[in-house]
């Protein structure tokens, strides 16, 4: 029985399998068309299907015209496979230098050109010098005499395929984990049709024209790559990465695979790394000088959670243009001395997050060099102004004290009132400088969180009020036992601000103030309540106090903002309610340092 009898069903099944695998992959995996791996796989599967089925139909045809028609269709499948396979393999191997706009037309265009020459062969006979019919074992076959074009096509195809397989071997050697498993599967998928094609060329049957097993093996290749996609998630990280990179073209973006190997970068990242090729290298190799970033990649937050942020200083050395004078260089890119390179030092906030539905990590490098420089300038200016202002105010305050003593016996009520106003204003200005310093500490970095005895803090502040403001009618409800809360170290200043604001804005000669501390074990929080009988808090100030409006443009000062900010940093909350018949109640809640029972004894005064 002729081998054709066995080969035709195999080709039909192979083409159907390739088409089915393509449909399964596109249905089961959430991918987007556009990445080289995806385009390559789709072209490989579609081309293998066309090649297998057209070759099966050609083997069953019995007229030369029909055989040549199917042969043209076969060459279309061959050209598509020849164009798609190297794109797919180079992308999987991480060898993106062959996927540039300049080289890609050579890699993928040559097979398509040969396919066009084969279809137009009657006009030039470069591919087939002669075609005739023969009957072998009762089966009609086409016997061809290859032309020079066919020989060139074979040399090109096998030369390129051997190079592709060599690059895949290198990528397998340099990878681990799932990435290595993917590349091994793709390497095996490339070896099978190569061996089948060599057998078809060099093992010439004695009873007829050669039989080509290559299309059947490319169907197997499609199955193997499909398994790599569905089992080892071959396309996921890169497919989603292409979309992610496209949405972050302004910032350098680096895609890291599950085994900490860099798989892709965008153009901004390419410029950042200058001539240093990073695709295919490990994160530890590229970012070894920044262990905190390497660790963040290793412990990346799961998908759906907010990305971690790591700040790094990055140094890039680039050739200095010959026509660029040294005094034209920006201050952050000093010449190292030999005049041949410019050193660019930048600071980046690196966002480390997960790509949805993948085991890949995305690094987005946000350049904050200019922002950091501006922050440093503002910080220095703020400290200088605050220092000078505080010194001048202290001098003024000293002279006001002197005037107050000298004019103590003055009978002029106007002079006395003016001195009181000036003294109050200078004290207020000193308070502002202290609040500005506190705000700077809050804004810079993460404030220290510690355990604080809230009952002791509030009791101490209330005793201070009794001494400094004897006119205040103060009522307190404070537990005798300690109330340990977890709060930032400067939280006692919140209690100071809250009580001082209530007294200062009361508008009464003898204001009333109610201060209490309570524990809510069900919510694991402690609450400080400050109630007054004043005119109430203006809407703008209330919005700042509860955190609705972060701007201080319409607020009365830093104090209210600090109350909210410090309480929030402590994990607490601020609530403002009206008191009947008049006044305001401000409630602060902060988390308990540990679960505790309600205080056994409460002292009321």
């Amino acid at each position: 029985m002729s081998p054709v009898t066995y080969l035709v069903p195999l080709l039909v099944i192979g083409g159907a399998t390739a088409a089915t695998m393509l449909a399964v992959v596109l249905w089961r995996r959430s991918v987007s068309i556009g990445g080289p791996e995806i385009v390559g796989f789709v072209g490989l599967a579609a081309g293998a299907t066309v090649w297998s089925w057209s070759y099966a139909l050609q083997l069953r045809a019995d007229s030369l015209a029909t055989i040549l028609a199917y042969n043209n269709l076969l060459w279309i499948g061959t050209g598509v496979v020849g164009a798609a396979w190297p794109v797919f393999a180079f992308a999987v191997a991480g060898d993106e230098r062959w996927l540039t706009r300049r080289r890609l037309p050579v890699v993928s265009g040559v097979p398509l050109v040969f396919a066009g020459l084969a279809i137009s062969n009657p006009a030039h006979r470069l591919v087939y010098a002669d075609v005739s019919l023969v009957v072998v074992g009762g089966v009609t076959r086409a016997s061809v005499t290859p032309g020079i074009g066919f020989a060139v096509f074979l040399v090109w195809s096998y030369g390129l395929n051997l190079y592709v397989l060599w690059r895949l071997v290198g990528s397998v050697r340099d990878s681990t984990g799932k990435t290595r498993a993917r590349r091994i599967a793709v390497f095996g998928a490339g070896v099978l049709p190569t061996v089948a094609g060599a057998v078809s060329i060099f093992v010439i049957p004695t009873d007829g024209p050669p039989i080509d097993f290559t299309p059947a093996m490319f169907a197997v290749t499609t199955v193997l790559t499909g398994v790599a996609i569905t089992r080892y998630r071959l396309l996921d990280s890169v497919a989603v990465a292409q979309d992610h990179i496209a949405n972050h073209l302004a910032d350098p973006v680096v895609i890291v695979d599950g085994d900490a190997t860099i798989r892709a970068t965008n153009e901004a990242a390419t410029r950042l790394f200058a001539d240093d090729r990073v695709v295919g290298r490990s994160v530890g190799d590229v970012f070894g000088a920044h262990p905190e970033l390497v660790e963040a990649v290793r412990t990346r937050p799961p998908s759906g959670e907010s990305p971690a942020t790591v700040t790094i200083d990055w140094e890039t050395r680039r050739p200095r243009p010959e026509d660029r004078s040294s005094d034209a260089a920006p201050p952050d890119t000093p010449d190292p001395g030999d005049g041949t390179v410019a050193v660019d030092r930048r600071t980046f906030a690196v966002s480390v997050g997960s790509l949805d539905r993948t085991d890949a990590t995305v690094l987005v490098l946000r350049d904050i060099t200019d922002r950091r420089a501006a922050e440093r300038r503002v910080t220095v200016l703020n400290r200088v102004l605050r220092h000078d202002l505080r010194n001048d105010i202290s001098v003024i305050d000293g002279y006001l004290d002197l005037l107050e003593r000298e004019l103590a016996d003055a009978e002029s009520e106007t002079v006395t009132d003016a001195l009181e106003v000036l003294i109050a204003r200078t004290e207020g200005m000193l308070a502002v400088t202290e609040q500005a310093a506190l705000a700077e500490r809050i804004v810079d970095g993460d404030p220290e969180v510690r355990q604080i005895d809230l009952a002791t803090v509030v009791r101490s502040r209330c005793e201070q009020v009794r001494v400094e403001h004897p006119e205040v009618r103060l009522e307190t409800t404070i537990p005798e036992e300690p109330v340990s809360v977890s709060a930032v170290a400067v939280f006692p200043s919140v209690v100071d601000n809250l009580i001082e604001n209530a007294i200062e804005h009361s508008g009464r000669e003898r204001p009333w103030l109610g201060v209490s501390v309570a524990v809510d074990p069900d919510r694991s929080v402690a609450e400080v309540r400050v109630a007054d009988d004043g005119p109430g808090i203006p809407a703008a100030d209330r919005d700042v106090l509860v955190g609705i409006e972060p701007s201080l443009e319409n607020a009365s000062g830093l104090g209210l903002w600090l109350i909210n900010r410090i309480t929030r940093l402590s994990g607490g909350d601020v609530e403002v309610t009206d008191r009947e018949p008049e006044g305001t109640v401000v409630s602060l809640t902060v988390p308990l340092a540990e679960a505790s029972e309600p205080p056994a004894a409460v002292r009321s005064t």
Side-chain angles (χ1 to χ4, degrees):
M1 184 177 294
S2 173
V4 175
T5 306
Y6 301 103
L7 182 59
V8 170
L10 183 62
L11 291 169
V12 173
I13 294 173
T17 303
T20 302
M21 181 56 69
L22 175 60
V24 168
V25 168
L26 295 180
W27 176 64
R28 290 188 59 184
R29 304 248 52 95
S30 299
V31 298
S32 58
I33 302 300
E37 291 95 339
I38 304 169
V39 173
F41 174 75
V42 172
L44 183 64
T49 302
V50 173
W51 192 355
S52 297
W53 284 349
S54 59
Y55 190 43
L57 293 171
Q58 184 194 60
L59 292 176
R60 300 304 298 174
D62 55 6
S63 69
L64 184 60
T66 305
I67 289 175
L68 291 177
Y70 287 133
N71 189 67
N72 290 339
L73 189 61
L74 180 150
W75 271 102
I76 293 175
T78 303
V80 172
V81 169
W85 162 247
V87 172
F88 178 77
F90 281 137
V92 171
D95 195 352
E96 296 192 355
R97 58 183 172 178
W98 286 100
L99 302 178
T100 62
R101 294 181 179 180
R102 180 177 299 178
R103 296 184 177 184
L104 189 59
V106 177
V107 171
S108 297
V110 172
L112 297 175
V113 170
F114 277 115
L117 289 175
I119 294 172
S120 61
N121 185 72
H124 47 71
R125 297 189 178 277
L126 291 175
V127 179
Y128 301 127
D130 182 54
V131 182
S132 61
L133 289 180
V134 296
V135 179
V136 180
V139 178
T140 302
R141 299 281 307 285
S143 177
V144 300
T145 302
I148 185 64
F150 190 80
V152 172
F153 173 71
L154 288 181
V155 172
W156 166 266
S157 298
Y158 281 92
L160 178 62
N161 199 41
L162 289 175
Y163 177 76
V164 169
L165 294 176
W166 177 67
R167 296 300 300 171
L168 281 170
V169 169
S171 68
V172 169
R173 185 177 59 251
D174 296 337
S175 59
T176 59
K178 288 186 177 181
T179 302
R180 170 173 283 188
R182 298 167 185 157
R183 291 171 175 173
I184 290 175
V186 174
F187 173 78
V191 168
L192 290 177
T194 303
V195 173
V199 170
S200 301
I201 294 173
F202 297 108
V203 180
I204 302 176
T206 58
D207 57 348
I211 297 177
D212 190 4
F213 294 94
T214 307
M217 289 299 101
F218 262 114
V220 177
T221 293
T222 303
V223 173
L224 287 177
T225 53
V227 170
I229 291 168
T230 55
R231 180 169 181 176
Y232 298 112
R233 306 176 70 177
L234 177 63
L235 298 185
D236 284 2
S237 62
V238 179
V240 180
Q242 297 297 329
D243 293 339
H244 200 92
I245 289 176
N247 293 330
H248 293 80
L249 292 179
D251 297 322
V253 179
V254 178
I255 303 300
V256 182
D257 216 332
D259 63 349
T261 299
I262 295 177
R263 291 292 310 279
T265 59
N266 67 346
E267 293 183 4
T270 302
R271 291 192 299 270
L272 173 66
F273 297 122
D275 294 330
D276 194 10
R277 301 185 183 279
V278 299
V279 174
R281 294 167 58 188
S282 69
V283 172
D285 185 18
V286 176
F287 297 104
H290 307 283
E292 68 280 7
L293 177 58
V294 178
E295 178 64 17
V297 173
R298 189 185 68 82
T299 60
R300 65 187 173 93
S303 179
E305 293 188 9
S306 300
T309 301
V310 178
T311 302
I312 66 171
D313 292 318
W314 186 263
E315 181 178 290
T316 302
R317 294 179 177 268
R318 294 181 173 87
R320 182 182 294 278
E322 294 181 359
D323 59 346
R324 178 175 165 182
S325 62
S326 60
D327 58 351
D332 60 343
T333 58
D335 194 313
D338 57 8
T340 58
V341 295
V343 181
D344 188 10
R345 296 181 178 90
R346 313 295 293 177
T347 301
F348 292 91
V350 186
S351 172
V352 183
S354 302
L355 287 177
D356 292 340
R357 309 181 305 277
T358 77
D359 61 352
T361 304
V362 58
L363 309 181
V364 181
L365 290 81
R366 181 66 53 84
D367 192 338
I368 60 172
T369 307
D370 296 337
R371 190 185 79 189
R372 280 293 178 88
E375 289 174 351
R376 286 193 293 268
R377 289 192 293 268
V378 170
T379 299
V380 172
L381 181 62
N382 182 31
R383 289 174 180 172
V384 171
L385 290 177
R386 193 171 64 245
H387 177 268
D388 293 347
L389 182 63
R390 186 177 182 86
N391 286 344
D392 291 344
I393 293 175
S394 298
V395 172
I396 295 172
D397 189 53
Y399 277 106
L400 286 175
D401 288 341
L402 179 61
L403 284 174
E404 188 178 24
R405 289 194 298 271
E406 291 292 331
L407 299 175
D409 298 331
E411 298 179 357
S412 174
E413 186 176 338
T414 302
V415 172
T416 304
D417 292 342
L419 280 174
E420 290 178 354
V421 170
L422 288 173
I423 292 172
R425 289 295 185 180
T426 55
E427 290 176 349
M429 292 172 69
L430 285 172
V432 168
T433 61
E434 293 173 355
Q435 290 177 347
L438 183 57
E440 184 180 357
R441 291 171 57 191
I442 294 298
V443 172
D444 289 346
D446 295 326
E448 178 188 0
V449 177
R450 61 174 62 173
Q451 290 189 19
I452 296 175
D453 182 1
L454 187 60
T456 298
V457 168
V458 175
R459 186 180 300 112
S460 173
R461 297 306 186 266
C462 289
E463 291 172 355
Q464 186 176 350
V465 168
R466 289 194 173 95
V467 173
E468 297 178 356
H469 301 280
E471 76 282 3
V472 175
R473 295 173 293 143
L474 179 63
E475 296 182 7
T476 62
T477 305
I478 304 173
E480 294 282 359
E481 296 181 354
V483 178
S484 183
V485 298
S486 177
V488 296
V490 295
F491 185 79
S493 66
V494 170
V495 179
D496 286 340
N497 266 321
L498 204 56
I499 293 176
E500 287 295 333
N501 276 334
I503 297 173
E504 180 181 349
H505 299 288
S506 66
R508 297 176 181 270
E509 292 185 2
R510 296 204 63 200
W512 174 86
L513 199 65
V515 180
S516 65
V517 176
V519 175
D520 185 346
D522 295 332
R523 297 165 54 200
S524 295
V525 296
E527 181 182 41
V528 179
R529 291 169 59 91
V530 177
D532 62 55
D533 60 350
I537 301 177
D541 286 348
R542 182 176 294 211
D543 288 345
V544 172
L545 183 56
V546 299
I548 297 177
E549 174 55 60
S551 172
L552 297 177
E553 182 177 353
N554 298 318
S556 60
L558 275 173
L560 299 178
W561 180 85
L562 284 171
I563 291 172
N564 177 270
R565 181 63 175 167
I566 295 173
T567 304
R568 298 279 185 180
L569 288 174
S570 302
D573 200 3
V574 181
E575 183 179 350
V576 180
T577 57
D578 293 327
R579 178 179 175 271
E580 296 297 337
E582 57 183 345
T584 306
V585 179
V586 179
S587 300
L588 307 179
T589 56
V590 287
L592 294 172
E594 56 185 2
S596 61
E597 296 296 327
V602 175
R603 180 179 66 188
S604 298
T605 59

